[in-house]
Amino acid sequence: MSQIQVPAPAASISRPNWTELTAQDLYDKLLALARNLWWSWHPEVVNLFRDLDPVRWRQIDHNPIVLLAEMTPEQVAERASEMVLYTRINQAHRRLKDYLNNTRTSWGAREAGVLGARPVAYFSAEFGIHESVPIYSGGLGVLSGDHIKSASGLGVPLVAIGLYYDQGYFKQRLNDEGWQVEEYLDTKVENLPIEPARDTQGRPITVEIETLHGRLLAKVWLMHVGRVHLYLLDCDVEGNSPEDRELTSRLYGGDSRTRIRQELVLGVGGVKALRALGVKPGVYHLNEGHSAFAPLEVMRQRMQEDGLAFDDALREVASQTVFTTHTPVPAGHDRFDGGLVEEHLGPLRQKLGISFEQLMGLGRVDPQNEHEAFCMTVIGLKLSRRANAVSSLHGHVSRRMWANLWPWRVEEEIPIGHITNGVHIPTWLAYPMVQLYDKYLGPEWHDRMGEPEVWQAIYGVDPGELWETHNALKSRLLEFVRRRVSRQSRRRNEDPAVIEAARTILDPNALTIGFARRFATYKRADLFLRNFDRMAQMIDDANRPVQFIFAGKAHPADEPGKRLIQRVANLRHDPRFAGRVVFIEDYDINVARHMVQGVDVWLNNPRRPLEASGTSGQKAVLNGGLNCSVLDGWWAEAFNGMNGFSIGNGTSHANEDINDSRDGDDLLRVLQEEVIPLFYKRDADGLPREWIQRMTNSIATLAARFSAHRMVIDYVQKGYLVAAGGLSSDMSVR
Ligand SMILES: *Cc1c(COP(=O)(O)O)cnc(C)c1O
């Protein structure tokens, strides 16, 4: 083959005249945006990344770091010019800079100024911030993510501490039999918006934690979540044994030895990391028991540096500590035997100058009871002066469950209060709804979204406009579902006809019910099937059809949960359900976002009172979805008769079978007698006026109350400020 001389391309007139400098400048601005997860709750910035390459954007889990790594500055510049993105990029970049620099006028600066020099240290085992950062498994993580985003938005001084899982939780696939198969994928550090955290001298940080059988090392990553610094500990470092290098690979993997070691790294390692960073927290917030070893290390520091005695250190550190419990069943709390505790806490125990029995006593309801295991919730309660559950009902349940810790008190005086969970509105709100709210609530609603009064203006909304916006979002959801279901079929090598059929499943005019959450048996994903034939008729009704979209993972060890998935997913083989009941694989923040933004009804039917709070229904509220739920968790305090639907009457039968059958009957009744008639009752314009009225009621009465802004404000006022100032010795946050 002869060599062909390719002439250098002549600069054409139509080609934009980017100097290298502008291209690089543009690229750097996009990189700066990509490296702060602030972008993820700003739809204009999300759209900016999407516009660079819409197809790739979807393929790479909406990860802007990956997207930019695949493009040169020149390619970006060219694309930006085609799409007229230049101004938008500059604006977004300026907005981020302003956001990071202007904190003086924030709510936090006004109301939580004392935390400025000594911030809150917020510990959580997982953080769900965006689908492209897979260091969460479910509700607890999403709650932590929403908490720190709202703290950022409000300007509350807070740093967050978690673990870096390079394999995260698993990816879910269903095989031909509808059985869940777990896949673990390595996340590459360079594809994430993280960088090594540095100490006060600018050196990368590695913390050392002593155990009886040698040292555990962890390096520390920094992730920017708006104004909040999230520090993530990672055991994959040289110097650790090969086994320990994998200690933080997966969320909730391994046995109880893995578990206690992860919790040692999170709690004790986390406090050491803060020390190395030069951060001096005024408040420690332990989000769930996983991090409850943290106060022990803080006590050690106080004893060593301030010469405090153990009892005084305990009293002082506890007064600075806020503890949130999330688990309404006794079996759900982490417990460890004495051997594991001594192996991992022994060296720290010696420095604290206490005996093995004394240490064990901190984790026992009855300190003297040698048969009692060491419980992370018990030590969390004992080492904090403010403890809270995550809904009003969960508060009652928790006070009863832990009453033995305060045997001299009556149940109402058990010092566990409640702060009901909420969701970060900008994360979960669809862009078309943002635009609708801008129009009716006025632009200042963005700064006041935690205030109920702001939302009253939604009563002025034009019903037709609200309905159209909702239907546009519903169409978007159905498109997403069709794409996913057809992809699932293709992956299973199904018949081309089946794959093709997936493109037209679901009816945009049918009442659409969403159900997505972890498939734990108490959540009863199959409750709607208890009256199987009647449900089949309802779904198949020619005039008033009903359709369901399901999603959710079961814990890898939860066989009964996997059977539930199988039962629901395999309904697609039953002609009465095919195309009307669909299961979307691999529930994550992306799937959640589509679902809560597009369904008519969000269904939740757990066995009461096992749902501590639940937050997914709160996300649906914001987007105009109506909740149909058992009166459990947040819904027990949210439902007012006119802002959604209730299953059951807020009682539960002690016999599980009877309870399930009563709730199953009532679910059917509520659908048949309330939900379906209201949805299909149309006026001359085809509008379901009363339904829209209920959507409006739901938004007006619930959006602010169940927002993470309100939640964080509650934590500041009832927890953080008191803990920071040592204002009160009253342990109750009620
Ligand atoms: C919101 C959310 C949850 C928690 O919702 P629940 O109502 O508590 O089940 C879990 N997983 C994902 C991906 C979420 O977005």
Side-chain angles (χ1 to χ4, degrees):
M1 245 201 310
S2 64
Q3 290 271 329
I4 302 172
Q5 289 287 332
V6 182
S12 86
I13 323 165
S14 66
R15 211 163 162 250
N17 202 5
W18 297 107
T19 64
E20 235 167 75
L21 198 71
T22 9
Q24 191 62 45
D25 178 54
L26 208 61
Y27 191 84
D28 289 347
K29 283 181 173 159
L30 283 166
L31 259 188
L33 286 165
R35 285 183 181 147
N36 189 319
L37 283 156
W38 175 88
W39 69 263
S40 68
W41 66 90
H42 290 83
E44 321 83 77
V45 193
V46 176
N47 291 341
L48 199 55
F49 288 127
R50 177 183 297 119
D51 287 346
L52 286 176
D53 191 340
V55 175
R56 221 28 217 142
W57 181 245
R58 188 180 291 156
Q59 289 166 345
I60 55 180
D61 265 345
H62 309 144
N63 186 331
I65 305 260
V66 173
L67 188 75
L68 291 172
E70 292 178 355
M71 297 174 91
T72 65
E74 289 68 30
Q75 285 170 325
V76 166
E78 194 151 335
R79 184 70 185 155
S81 124
E82 273 167 41
M83 299 294 297
V84 208
L85 303 179
Y86 193 75
T87 314
R88 283 164 60 198
I89 294 171
N90 277 320
Q91 268 172 1
H93 186 255
R94 193 166 341 105
R95 269 187 76 193
L96 172 60
K97 254 173 61 181
D98 288 348
Y99 178 79
L100 295 177
N101 293 334
N102 299 347
T103 50
R104 269 170 302 146
T105 55
S106 69
W107 180 89
R110 277 199 320 277
E111 308 285 336
V114 298
L115 301 171
R118 312 206 54 192
V120 177
Y122 179 87
F123 288 76
S124 186
E126 43 171 316
F127 286 88
I129 298 158
H130 186 258
E131 58 268 24
S132 62
V133 185
I135 55 169
Y136 67 96
S137 80
L140 184 74
V142 173
L143 179 78
S144 308
D146 281 7
H147 190 108
I148 65 175
K149 288 172 185 172
S150 277
S152 170
L154 289 163
V156 174
L158 180 144
V159 298
I161 297 97
L163 295 177
Y164 175 70
Y165 306 97
D166 59 358
Q167 297 189 338
Y169 204 46
F170 63 91
K171 293 239 161 224
Q172 178 196 53
R173 304 273 173 256
L174 300 192
N175 68 15
D176 295 350
E177 280 80 52
W179 192 252
Q180 170 178 301
V181 181
E182 298 94 23
E183 275 175 25
Y184 291 88
L185 302 180
D186 276 322
T187 314
K188 292 203 177 70
V189 168
E190 57 271 26
N191 289 344
L192 292 179
I194 59 176
E195 59 194 76
R198 295 183 183 277
D199 68 13
T200 45
Q201 258 94 59
R203 296 166 304 203
I205 297 170
T206 302
V207 297
E208 295 184 12
I209 307 143
E210 270 183 78
T211 75
L212 284 189
H213 302 153
R215 264 176 200 179
L216 258 175
L217 305 177
K219 65 185 166 199
V220 186
W221 298 102
L222 167 59
M223 184 147 81
H224 293 278
V225 184
R227 295 163 176 152
V228 169
H229 287 183
L230 167 56
Y231 297 103
L232 299 168
L233 286 89
D234 177 1
C235 286
D236 186 12
V237 282
E238 247 170 75
N240 274 341
S241 69
E243 190 186 313
D244 285 337
R245 291 189 74 150
E246 291 183 7
L247 182 58
T248 51
S249 284
R250 297 178 180 183
L251 271 130
Y252 309 131
D255 54 9
S256 53
R257 187 155 186 279
T258 307
R259 186 90 165 191
I260 194 172
R261 288 167 87 77
Q262 286 189 341
E263 296 183 356
L264 184 72
V265 173
L266 176 65
V268 176
V271 172
K272 286 175 181 253
L274 291 172
R275 169 53 56 99
L277 287 157
V279 176
K280 297 197 173 73
V283 178
Y284 296 87
H285 184 175
L286 315 176
N287 187 43
E288 188 53 313
H290 309 120
S291 54
F293 291 138
L296 293 175
E297 171 63 15
V298 184
M299 286 162 61
R300 184 197 65 76
Q301 292 178 355
R302 297 297 305 273
M303 289 169 70
Q304 189 187 338
E305 285 155 27
D306 304 338
L308 293 185
F310 178 83
D311 288 343
D312 297 328
L314 193 154
R315 196 175 318 110
E316 291 210 3
V317 172
S319 75
Q320 282 184 288
T321 304
V322 175
F323 175 60
T324 303
T325 177
H326 292 262
T327 315
V329 272
H333 298 261
D334 274 337
R335 286 188 172 76
F336 301 113
D337 65 42
L340 280 179
V341 173
E342 180 61 8
E343 178 189 345
H344 294 97
L345 275 298
L348 180 54
R349 172 183 72 69
Q350 286 162 15
K351 291 188 182 125
L352 291 168
I354 56 174
S355 68
F356 170 72
E357 283 306 323
Q358 277 174 298
L359 175 63
M360 288 301 287
L362 289 173
R364 286 177 179 150
V365 175
D366 173 7
Q368 319 298 336
N369 181 357
E370 288 178 18
H371 302 293
E372 203 182 315
F374 185 98
C375 174
M376 295 303 280
T377 304
V378 174
I379 188 173
L381 290 168
K382 289 190 181 184
L383 296 185
S384 62
R385 280 295 162 273
R386 341 221 89 224
N388 69 281
V390 291
S391 70
S392 171
L393 181 59
H394 181 225
H396 288 281
V397 171
S398 300
R399 284 189 287 281
R400 181 161 302 169
M401 187 156 57
W402 300 111
N404 289 343
L405 275 173
W406 294 271
W408 60 92
R409 295 200 187 202
V410 297
E411 198 172 297
E412 290 72 25
E413 290 171 354
I414 298 299
I416 303 174
H418 79 270
I419 292 177
T420 305
N421 288 342
V423 294
H424 183 243
I425 295 176
T427 293
W428 298 106
L429 193 57
Y431 198 28
M433 292 298 289
V434 175
Q435 291 167 317
L436 191 78
Y437 291 156
D438 282 348
K439 182 166 162 192
Y440 287 97
L441 308 184
E444 67 280 6
W445 78 269
H446 290 273
D447 299 320
R448 302 175 52 204
M449 56 187 125
E451 300 172 30
E453 310 76 54
V454 171
W455 295 86
Q456 294 312 302
I458 194 65
Y459 283 115
V461 77
D462 174 58
E465 196 178 349
L466 178 57
W467 188 241
E468 264 177 40
T469 309
H470 169 68
N471 278 323
L473 287 166
K474 184 168 163 183
S475 300
R476 204 163 84 176
L477 167 63
L478 298 198
E479 278 310 308
F480 174 77
V481 172
R482 289 168 179 166
R483 212 163 49 231
R484 281 296 192 98
V485 171
S486 116
R487 193 173 88 192
Q488 289 167 195
S489 286
R490 241 178 299 138
R491 217 206 43 250
R492 284 192 289 256
N493 289 321
E494 286 176 356
D495 199 86
V498 175
I499 299 171
E500 197 44 42
R503 295 187 195 282
T504 54
I505 51 168
L506 301 175
D507 172 0
N509 297 312
L511 172 66
T512 303
I513 300 179
F515 181 106
R517 47 186 50 82
R518 189 158 51 88
F519 270 59
T521 47
Y522 79 84
K523 298 190 187 233
R524 299 188 297 192
D526 61 346
L527 192 72
F528 80 119
L529 297 175
R530 274 190 85 91
N531 301 287
F532 197 84
D533 292 330
R534 280 182 64 200
M535 183 50 73
Q537 282 166 11
M538 225 187 245
I539 285 172
D540 216 16
D541 188 306
N543 296 319
R544 304 190 308 177
V546 182
Q547 58 195 10
F548 287 85
I549 303 171
F550 280 86
K553 297 172 176 177
H555 187 278
D558 182 8
E559 296 271 322
K562 291 185 183 181
R563 276 198 292 279
L564 280 183
I565 291 177
Q566 189 172 38
R567 175 150 198 237
V568 172
N570 283 353
L571 289 172
R572 69 199 184 96
H573 300 309
D574 182 328
R576 291 177 297 176
F577 294 89
R580 294 271 191 214
V581 177
V582 299
F583 187 91
I584 311 280
E585 294 173 11
D586 204 30
Y587 184 48
D588 68 353
I589 288 177
N590 182 38
V591 175
R593 197 173 338 92
H594 279 93
M595 287 183 69
V596 299
Q597 292 179 352
V599 295
D600 298 309
V601 170
W602 193 254
L603 175 66
N604 190 17
N605 45 228
R607 262 181 214 128
R608 194 177 169 280
L610 298 184
E611 185 85 295
S613 168
T615 54
S616 51
Q618 302 168 348
K619 304 167 192 167
V621 164
L622 303 169
N623 294 290
L626 290 181
N627 280 271
C628 177
S629 170
V630 166
L631 291 166
D632 196 9
W634 78 286
W635 192 239
E637 64 203 79
F639 178 63
N640 73 359
M642 298 185 306
N643 56 6
F645 306 94
S646 86
I647 303 165
N649 57 4
T651 61
S652 15
H653 200 283
N655 178 301
E656 203 167 88
D657 265 346
I658 297 176
N659 195 42
D660 288 357
S661 121
R662 288 194 345 172
D663 287 350
D665 289 348
D666 206 54
L667 167 59
L668 214 67
R669 181 201 61 77
V670 103
L671 290 178
Q672 206 146 34
E673 293 176 11
E674 298 183 34
V675 181
I676 296 174
L678 203 69
F679 182 82
Y680 284 108
K681 185 172 168 195
R682 305 297 165 105
D683 71 1
D685 300 328
L687 287 183
R689 295 254 166 201
E690 291 173 41
W691 184 276
I692 300 169
Q693 184 59 40
R694 220 171 261 228
M695 288 165 71
T696 315
N697 287 342
S698 162
I699 296 166
T701 59
L702 305 174
R705 264 179 77 201
F706 298 98
S707 69
H709 272 53
R710 189 275 311 149
M711 170 179 73
V712 169
I713 289 172
D714 273 358
Y715 274 107
V716 169
Q717 294 179 336
K718 301 177 183 176
Y720 300 162
L721 288 179
V722 193
L727 288 182
S728 160
S729 60
D730 176 15
M731 292 165 74
S732 171
V733 289
R734 261 172 298 156

